[in-house]
Amino acid sequence: MDGTEQHRRGGQPTLRDVAERAGVSAMTASRVLRDDPQVLPATRERVRAAAAALGYRPNEVARSLRLGRGSGLVGLVVTNLANPFYSRLALGVDSVVVKDGLKTVIGNTGQDPHAERELVADLVARRVDGIIAVPAGADQRHLAAAVAEGVPVVLASRPPEGFAADCVLVDDFGGAHDATARLVRRGHRRIGFLGSPPAVHTGTERLRGYAAALSAAGLAVDDRLVRQGQTEPHEATRAAADLLALREPPTALFCSNNRNTIGAFRAIRALRSSGGPDVALAGFDDFELADALGLPLTLVAYDSDELGRAAARLLATRLNAGGPGTATRGRPVPPPRQVVVSTSLVEYEGGR
């Protein structure tokens, strides 16, 4: 069975298919597709017509590797593609890397460290030029291994653990502290907390900011009002409903991310519809339609696109410097950098 016949049966067209259709050697077809000016015009026309008819596209990754260049790809590793935060992060990354002729490949880990290890190993095997990762947990040995193999790594939203790398963080502590302090100033003394799994850096820092704001007001953290581990809105709805059903329920809730805020909103709305008391709500991460919920809401806002852009700029600097631990033309590689994205408070429906 010849190459053209194989293509007709559903395979991807190859360089050999193009050559056979044009009636030339594979080497000649390759020269045409590389724009070799020494190939006769009539031959160039036949080869290009054959490539167009077959829908042939060259394997740019393999070609780059043969030429000693990288793959032209940047791996973006995230924990939950269902969260709009990660789509904005990805847009920010892509807006920067595309200027250097790079393309972004996104992988989702689902907060599973094993899936993350496999994904990173696969990206390294595919010779990506660099990796931007939001780690699922504190064990980051696989990311350290990628750096050791010469693949620059930048962490977003969470710092490196056990190895040196560039990172971009949000002011998690400061934002949570400010939002909780605002609830305290409005007279709330029993403030519940809904957060990410304890192993997640952002959840830990935001819990720390919540606790610090209570402490500054002379209030102790009541462990009965703290719920951690919710990653989806339906889990947060159950956790918030449990808090609101306590004998001494909280009068306000602070949520460490948008998924928890959405879930808490549903629990508060259900309580109000059944004649229950009003409960103030504050959360980390602004989100679309937050102004249309119809409940007083305080949100910690920041530019998630900028988080992605900053991570991509750090990666570009690392790539231009020749990668980790090396020097280019006598210039030392800069030490790992940390960028912190600031936060602000946004009020919807007047707050409480």
Side-chain angles (χ1 to χ4, degrees), residues 38-306:
Q38 295 185 5
V39 179
L40 293 174
T43 303
R44 287 203 302 270
E45 185 177 341
R46 288 206 315 277
V47 171
R48 288 172 180 163
L54 293 173
Y56 171 78
R57 297 185 65 182
N59 186 334
E60 293 295 342
V61 172
R63 182 182 178 194
S64 294
L65 294 178
R66 285 196 301 272
L67 295 174
R69 299 197 297 264
S71 64
L73 302 175
V74 169
L76 175 60
V77 178
V78 301
T79 59
N80 185 2
L81 279 174
N83 189 334
F85 163 78
Y86 291 110
S87 63
R88 302 306 316 180
L89 174 74
L91 287 171
V93 169
D94 200 61
S95 69
V96 172
V97 301
V98 71
K99 296 175 183 177
D100 290 326
L102 302 173
K103 292 181 173 60
T104 309
V105 178
I106 304 175
N108 183 61
T109 67
Q111 291 280 6
D112 181 350
H114 177 69
E116 181 181 305
R117 287 192 294 271
E118 289 194 337
L119 177 57
V120 170
D122 185 59
L123 290 171
V124 171
R126 293 174 184 273
R127 300 284 297 275
V128 294
D129 287 19
I131 295 174
I132 296 173
V134 181
D139 185 355
Q140 300 174 6
R141 286 175 293 180
H142 52 294
L143 294 170
V147 172
E149 291 192 39
V151 180
V153 171
V154 175
L155 302 192
S157 191
R158 293 156 203 181
E161 299 281 350
F163 75 110
D166 300 311
C167 68
V168 183
L169 306 176
V170 175
D171 184 10
D172 299 300
F173 176 90
H177 179 281
D178 292 347
T180 305
R182 182 162 293 188
L183 291 173
V184 171
R185 287 196 299 271
R186 288 172 177 159
H188 297 283
R189 295 297 178 266
R190 290 183 61 76
I191 302 172
F193 178 89
L194 298 179
S196 307
V200 176
H201 168 80
T202 52
T204 300
E205 283 297 289
R206 293 169 191 180
L207 176 60
R208 198 168 67 86
Y210 156 87
L214 293 181
S215 178
L219 302 171
V221 174
D222 186 342
D223 290 338
R224 294 171 297 179
L225 301 183
V226 175
R227 297 287 188 276
Q228 291 179 276
Q230 306 81 229
T231 60
E232 293 298 334
H234 69 274
E235 297 170 336
T237 299
R238 286 198 301 267
D242 287 344
L243 289 177
L244 298 177
L246 293 173
R247 179 173 297 180
E248 293 183 80
T251 62
L253 297 175
F254 172 71
C255 303
S256 75
N257 60 32
N258 55 15
R259 311 300 278 173
N260 276 277
T261 302
I262 292 169
F265 158 74
R266 291 171 179 164
I268 293 172
R269 182 180 60 182
L271 182 66
R272 288 184 65 180
S273 65
S274 63
D278 288 341
V279 177
L281 181 60
F284 218 104
D285 302 328
D286 199 357
F287 56 91
E288 194 171 2
L289 296 181
D291 59 337
L293 295 182
L295 285 178
L297 181 60
T298 301
L299 291 180
V300 180
Y302 58 93
D303 189 345
S304 50
D305 287 54
E306 175 56 22

